[in-house]
Amino acid sequence: MSKHRGLLIVLSGPSGVGKGTVRKELFSQPDTNYEYSISMTTRQPREGEVDEVDYFFKTRGDFEKLIEQGQLLEYAQYVDNYYGTPLEYVDRMRDAGRDVFLEIEVQGASQVREKVPDGLFIFLAPPSLSELEERLVGRGTESDDVIASRISAARQELEMMNLYDYVVENDEVEKACDRINAIIIAEHCRRERVEKRYFDMLKENA
Ligand code: ADP
Ligand code: 5GP
């Protein structure tokens, strides 16, 4: 195992706030130095989505097997579908010293908070509730019923902000990305995360 385990970075927030958009922008930047964990889902692919790139698309039966076998770090039922994070990939990357980035909804994030207390939890917040609704409707990927369920979920999701270390407003995608990158840089300098290296150095030179 590597001496310095990679960070687990969790980006979460209400549906439609722009998590997918911000995550894609972060990973399109040439100097991004962390790994994206591709999630599993039972939802149908949207137009243009590619299996094993956007998600690992699974049947309900296969997903339930993964749950039984303990292969998921977290999972949630979100508006009639399962979504979950493969455990093995996250552990393997972190053990190799790589930071891993999860983009997940808030129920899953609270499970990760329990299991991985030293994770970095970032809540992406909308500029306003009306802007959030406009984004959900504007994306045009769901039926009116699904949009209504997501809006009602979003209100409860906003109340879960207190589980997070940082709140980043997604007013403009680029600004939100800059804030997230700044948080990650600062987190790497956090005393609790780095002090052991210096204590070991002192011991070696005693
Ligand atoms: P989530 O992954 O959180 O459900 P998406 O990334 O799919 O949200 O974004 C929802 C909609 O909002 C999309 O149509 C996207 O283009 C739009 N959007 C995302 N971020 C912004 C932003 N900063 N300003 C305006 N529109 C945005
Ligand atoms: P969508 O159907 O719009 O792709 O995703 C719906 C919600 O599920 C979004 O809030 C997205 O961030 C979240 N999501 C995506 N992958 C995962 C995952 O692995 N676990 C959990 N808990 N949520 C996820």
Side-chain angles (χ1 to χ4, degrees):
M1 189 164 127
S2 151
K3 221 171 162 189
H4 308 296
R5 214 163 178 246
L7 280 181
L8 183 62
I9 304 152
V10 180
L11 181 71
S12 193
S15 180
V17 72
K19 299 182 294 298
T21 306
V22 167
R23 182 254 302 170
K24 282 183 193 136
E25 176 58 28
L26 285 168
F27 281 89
S28 75
Q29 296 173 352
D31 51 351
T32 295
N33 196 22
Y34 35 85
E35 309 292 335
Y36 175 57
S37 165
I38 301 169
S39 295
M40 314 261 183
T41 186
T42 58
R43 129 160 122 55
Q44 292 297 307
R46 293 183 186 134
E47 205 176 312
E49 282 186 334
V50 177
D51 190 26
E52 300 183 12
V53 174
D54 297 289
Y55 279 106
F56 296 103
F57 292 101
K58 299 282 171 196
T59 63
R60 251 189 127 71
D62 284 350
F63 197 103
E64 282 167 355
K65 247 181 246 158
L66 293 169
I67 298 172
E68 276 165 33
Q69 293 166 352
Q71 290 195 41
L72 301 176
L73 169 63
E74 60 72 36
Y75 70 94
Q77 285 230 36
Y78 181 81
V79 191
D80 298 337
N81 282 297
Y82 280 124
Y83 295 82
T85 302
L87 177 61
E88 192 272 339
Y89 177 81
V90 171
D91 277 347
R92 180 159 44 87
M93 287 298 137
R94 294 189 70 205
D95 286 349
R98 302 287 302 154
D99 294 345
V100 179
F101 188 99
L102 308 185
E103 179 235 305
I104 61 179
E105 53 70 65
V106 292
Q107 300 169 62
S110 63
Q111 292 171 41
V112 182
R113 176 110 238 180
E114 294 274 306
K115 289 188 183 166
V116 187
D118 69 341
L120 169 57
F121 293 83
I122 304 173
F123 189 91
L124 198 63
S128 66
L129 209 52
S130 58
E131 172 68 21
L132 181 66
E133 296 191 9
E134 262 172 47
R135 287 184 191 175
L136 267 173
V137 174
R139 188 169 63 189
T141 49
E142 274 87 23
S143 64
D144 289 353
D145 278 2
V146 173
I147 289 173
S149 314
R150 288 188 176 214
I151 289 170
S152 107
R155 288 177 171 268
Q156 290 161 12
E157 287 163 351
L158 273 170
E159 287 167 7
M160 291 174 78
M161 190 186 276
N162 65 338
L163 295 175
Y164 293 78
D165 303 308
Y166 293 92
V167 177
V168 166
E169 186 172 310
N170 180 20
D171 45 3
E172 287 173 38
V173 175
E174 248 178 64
K175 284 187 186 165
C177 290
D178 288 348
R179 294 173 189 130
I180 291 168
N181 280 324
I183 290 167
I184 294 170
I185 291 170
E187 199 66 19
H188 274 287
C189 302
R190 191 182 277 280
R191 194 248 315 142
E192 298 92 307
R193 295 195 192 276
V194 296
E195 65 186 2
K196 186 172 179 301
R197 194 185 316 163
Y198 294 96
F199 292 151
D200 289 348
M201 193 172 75
L202 287 173
K203 269 189 226 150
E204 277 162 28
N205 291 287

